[in-house]
Amino acid sequence: MSKVEKPDYWQKDLVHGRDLSELTTLNLGPTHPATHGIFQNVLTLDGEIILDTEQTIGYIHRAFEKLAERRPFYQIPTLTDRMNYCSSPINNMGWHMTMEKLIGIELPKRVEYMRVIVMELARIADHIICNTIIGQDAGATTPFLYVYQWREKIYDIYEEICGARLTTNMGRIGGWERDFSDLAWKRIRHIVDELPAGLKEFDSMLLRNRIFMDRTIGCGPIGGERALAYGFTGPNLRAAGVDYDVRVSDPYCSYQDFDFIIPVGTNGDTYDRFTVRQEEMRQSISIIRQALEKLEKLSDKTSLRADVPEWVLPPKEDVYSAMEPLIWHFKIVMGETEVPAGEVYHCVEGGNGELGFYLVSDGGRTPFRLHLRRPCYIYYQAYPEMIKGGMLSDAILTMSSMNVIAGELDA
Amino acid sequence: MPGFVVKAERDQLVKDRVAAFGEKVTAITQEADLVCIHVKKEAVHELLKTLRDELGFAFLTTCCGMHFPGEAQEFGMVYHLHNMRAGHRIRIKCRTTANDLEYPTATDLWPTANWMEREAWDFFGIKFKGHPNLKRILNMEDFPAFPMRKDYPLEDPTRQDKDDRFFGR
């Protein structure tokens, strides 16, 4: 295993007055149950105090940016699924919206509200995973077992909408592949009605729990200024007190029609990250509720796609029975539609922060270059600074509260 | 028709300030909703610093390498900066030739540039002068190539059915 090269000032180690042989090198990962993913941290410890960390990542690097250069545009959502696999629908929608920005399509409101519902469900699922795992790593197994059932219910909704649970490949460029079924709507309403009580139960287990508070307050803190310098976005940045949210700063997908609060923390520690995510889940429920109301008020009850036949895959039953849709289907799948050459950057508020797609198109059937701004990859580099001088067990909690997802980290 | 907003007044502020760079800025273009400043390599660090300190672009959203085979200026770096207060983004492009692949690092301006530049080194072989720890990040240490360069084959090179003709170029 690789050995940490100790910086010069430890050779003398005048600060601690200790012999270097008293320092321990510990491999946390690559496969360690507490890292919740495949990445390695080589820690240099003095007793149980962390002095230095060397990070190694890339264990599940799958070269998505390279693969995307040889895939037609409509095949790329399957790559985005596998980035932050805890909230795949957000990644899917982010990609569809990037393409829509490049082509210049405007969508019917109904489609956008349906997307908002799915994206907020994904955000809830993502935050449930992160927050219950914080509990788990702090020693409370109960939320991990009980609150997880809500995630299962959200996955049931995905399954009803698109047939898949984890890697969803949901939606199409320009709209939806099919309408939500009655069962899906029923399940969404069930979540909106019942989840608040579930979250309250979750709160009562951890939020004012003395042991949990002692464990998490002041654990792995980062200030707002440092967080911005390190490129933090999403709940981790908001926990540090910066109210930046892509949904508000650059509204996409009709988020400007919704009324919601951006929760912010003050200390940027594990407890703040936990509470910010808890509140965001409540705000997401409120957004879904508003979206359901708006959908009811809309006179348009059927539209599922933008009216751009050269880009939006037609419904399958039409392809089998009518001439025109068959032609368009063939042209789209064979890549015979004209893609404008151009460059767009589009970002969405993913589960972990600003998920950006920088797409360069030269008019070919595939992107010329697709760069993915993965929030995890960018903020995980602050990890050594956040855990330095803390205890080993705090390092575990800090990592789980940052919600580092290996798929997104390594792309 | 387009689903985005162009912030023309903000863009003008940037253009006015950048005019002082004279010939070091080769072009300013509009790409969809963002203004893009094309800058020569010797001035890129100065430009980033000016934008950060004087115009409030305090957040480095992302920076990434580019490869355009067959062009004189074969490689490039693209920076996306964000002024969060004003809700304004810009793009900065800086091209270079294959013989001169060393950029000034941006890690002194933003610590977050560290891994982004390591990624550009790992995938494109672009070096950064002054980078504290420039080594491969996602690929293994002894990987023999820079895989995001266009001449690195993705598919099995013996296959006949996967060349560029099938992808429209």
Side-chain angles (χ1 to χ4, degrees):
Chain A
M1 216 64 257
S2 65
K3 220 172 153 268
V4 182
E5 217 172 283
K6 295 183 181 84
D8 274 347
Y9 55 90
W10 284 340
Q11 303 294 337
K12 312 178 199 115
D13 198 35
L14 299 173
V15 189
H16 301 92
R18 275 168 176 269
D19 187 350
L20 265 184
S21 59
E22 285 181 21
L23 299 183
T24 320
T25 302
L26 183 76
N27 279 291
L28 180 64
T31 51
H32 188 283
T35 58
H36 308 290
I38 311 294
F39 29 90
Q40 184 188 26
N41 285 286
V42 185
L43 308 172
T44 305
L45 301 170
D46 176 4
E48 215 185 323
I49 308 286
I50 295 164
L51 297 182
D52 195 31
T53 314
E54 161 127 352
Q55 297 161 290
T56 314
I57 64 166
Y59 286 93
I60 61 161
H61 174 58
R62 293 143 296 173
F64 285 162
E65 291 181 7
K66 186 78 179 174
L67 284 175
E69 288 176 11
R70 275 295 169 90
R71 286 198 175 208
F73 295 101
Y74 63 89
Q75 286 183 359
I76 289 175
T78 50
L79 300 179
T80 64
D81 278 341
R82 284 148 180 83
M83 288 203 295
N84 185 349
Y85 40 73
C86 297
S87 50
S88 321
I90 302 184
N91 307 351
N92 299 155
M93 301 303 154
W95 167 251
H96 300 325
M97 281 182 257
T98 311
M99 278 309 291
E100 284 150 17
K101 196 170 182 177
L102 177 72
I103 311 162
I105 306 182
E106 230 178 312
L107 296 181
K109 280 280 177 195
R110 181 169 192 267
V111 176
E112 298 208 320
Y113 292 154
M114 282 161 76
R115 282 187 174 180
V116 165
I117 292 176
V118 168
M119 284 194 283
E120 293 307 318
L121 284 174
R123 194 180 319 285
I124 295 170
D126 191 279
H127 288 357
I128 284 178
I129 293 170
C130 179
N131 273 1
T132 53
I133 282 177
I134 296 175
Q136 167 87 4
D137 287 349
T141 317
T142 319
F144 187 68
L145 297 175
Y146 278 76
V147 188
Y148 242 48
Q149 60 177 312
W150 293 103
R151 189 191 78 136
E152 285 305 304
K153 287 181 180 169
I154 290 171
Y155 282 12
D156 285 342
I157 297 174
Y158 296 170
E159 200 177 355
E160 192 55 36
I161 292 172
C162 70
R165 292 170 72 85
L166 193 69
T167 48
T168 48
N169 190 15
M170 199 184 269
R172 297 288 180 262
I173 295 164
W176 286 95
E177 65 274 35
R178 65 181 81 82
D179 208 344
F180 294 2
S181 67
D182 289 343
L183 183 59
W185 288 116
K186 215 191 269 173
R187 283 179 176 167
I188 291 167
R189 291 218 164 75
H190 175 77
I191 290 278
V192 171
D193 295 338
E194 304 295 327
L195 183 56
L199 283 180
K200 211 170 166 209
E201 209 176 32
F202 188 15
D203 269 355
S204 64
M205 271 189 274
L206 292 181
L207 196 64
R208 291 287 155 194
N209 180 325
R210 188 74 253 166
I211 305 168
F212 183 74
M213 287 169 78
D214 284 348
R215 252 337 240 101
T216 52
I217 292 177
C219 163
I222 188 162
E225 195 96 350
R226 271 323 263 172
L228 280 173
Y230 267 120
F232 274 50
T233 41
N236 295 340
L237 178 66
R238 293 192 281 274
V242 183
D243 58 344
Y244 171 64
D245 188 317
V246 186
R247 291 175 291 174
V248 177
S249 74
D250 302 78
Y252 53 91
C253 204
S254 296
Y255 266 110
Q256 66 274 16
D257 299 357
F258 295 90
D259 185 15
F260 58 101
I261 293 169
I262 306 298
V264 290
T266 45
N267 301 323
D269 57 10
T270 302
Y271 188 69
D272 279 5
R273 288 191 278 273
F274 174 83
T275 43
V276 162
R277 285 202 173 85
Q278 285 292 87
E279 184 54 34
E280 269 184 26
M281 283 194 261
R282 284 193 204 94
Q283 295 300 328
S284 295
I285 296 169
S286 142
I287 293 173
I288 299 173
R289 191 176 291 126
Q290 292 173 43
L292 289 173
E293 279 164 18
K294 283 180 199 296
L295 279 171
E296 234 152 63
K297 278 184 209 144
L298 275 185
S299 53
D300 169 16
K301 301 278 183 207
T302 48
S303 56
L304 282 175
R305 294 168 191 87
D307 188 19
V308 210
E310 64 270 40
W311 269 105
V312 187
L313 279 169
K316 207 66 173 180
E317 51 276 20
D318 294 357
V319 175
Y320 290 137
S321 56
M323 193 66 195
E324 197 88 337
L326 176 66
I327 293 170
W328 286 122
H329 182 93
F330 184 79
K331 286 190 87 165
I332 292 168
V333 172
M334 296 310 288
E336 291 298 327
T337 45
E338 287 289 319
V339 193
E343 301 186 13
V344 287
Y345 176 79
H346 184 73
C347 53
V348 293
E349 180 71 24
N352 288 335
E354 178 177 334
L355 174 71
F357 298 86
Y358 172 47
L359 169 67
V360 182
S361 161
D362 64 346
R365 288 173 197 163
T366 62
F368 179 77
R369 168 98 168 94
L370 174 64
H371 177 68
L372 307 163
R373 184 205 193 269
R374 295 104 58 198
C376 268
Y377 177 78
I378 288 167
Y379 66 62
Y380 183 54
Q381 53 184 316
Y383 183 60
E385 189 175 308
M386 290 163 78
I387 61 168
K388 200 170 192 169
M391 308 286 265
L392 174 60
S393 47
D394 284 355
I396 305 276
L397 263 183
T398 307
M399 187 188 285
S400 53
S401 71
M402 283 169 87
N403 199 18
V404 185
I405 309 284
E408 189 175 77
L409 185 69
D410 294 344
Chain B
M1 210 269 288
F4 53 77
V5 191
V6 178
K7 292 180 172 141
E9 278 177 31
R10 283 274 157 195
D11 289 344
Q12 196 54 46
L13 285 178
V14 176
K15 284 177 191 164
D16 291 347
R17 179 63 186 84
V18 166
F21 279 78
E23 283 192 357
K24 289 179 204 156
V25 170
T26 48
I28 298 179
T29 51
Q30 184 78 35
E31 292 167 353
D33 50 343
L34 297 192
V35 152
C36 177
I37 303 168
H38 302 254
V39 65
K40 286 184 182 166
K41 192 157 69 77
E42 62 264 27
V44 64
H45 191 272
E46 191 189 341
L47 177 69
L48 291 172
K49 194 165 161 40
T50 310
L51 289 169
R52 185 190 75 156
D53 295 341
E54 294 178 26
L55 291 171
F57 288 93
F59 191 80
L60 176 66
T61 303
T62 177
C63 69
C64 62
M66 303 286 283
H67 185 207
F68 303 89
E71 291 183 25
Q73 301 256 304
E74 206 180 320
F75 287 89
M77 282 294 290
V78 179
Y79 299 81
H80 284 89
L81 303 189
H82 191 183
N83 180 346
M84 282 187 179
R85 250 167 233 267
H88 185 218
R89 294 170 195 270
I90 51 168
R91 181 178 296 150
I92 290 155
K93 284 188 188 171
C94 178
R95 297 280 287 267
T96 187
T97 56
N99 309 322
D100 180 25
L101 277 179
E102 192 172 65
Y103 281 81
T105 182
T107 44
D108 54 336
L109 302 174
W110 294 281
T112 182
N114 189 328
W115 280 18
M116 299 178 189
E117 290 179 350
R118 277 177 73 183
E119 201 182 13
W121 158 251
D122 192 355
F123 288 96
F124 291 92
I126 296 172
K127 292 193 202 87
F128 294 90
K129 196 177 182 181
H131 191 286
N133 183 23
L134 193 64
K135 50 181 196 178
R136 287 188 181 270
I137 183 157
L138 289 174
N139 291 307
M140 57 185 183
E141 285 292 312
D142 45 359
F143 196 76
F146 298 115
M148 280 295 284
R149 289 188 180 180
K150 292 282 179 188
D151 47 11
Y152 184 81
L154 174 64
E155 309 285 347
D156 174 1
T158 58
R159 279 180 75 159
Q160 305 282 308
D161 59 334
K162 289 265 183 167
D163 62 33
D164 268 344
R165 287 176 298 135
F166 299 108
F167 296 99
R169 52 178 84 89

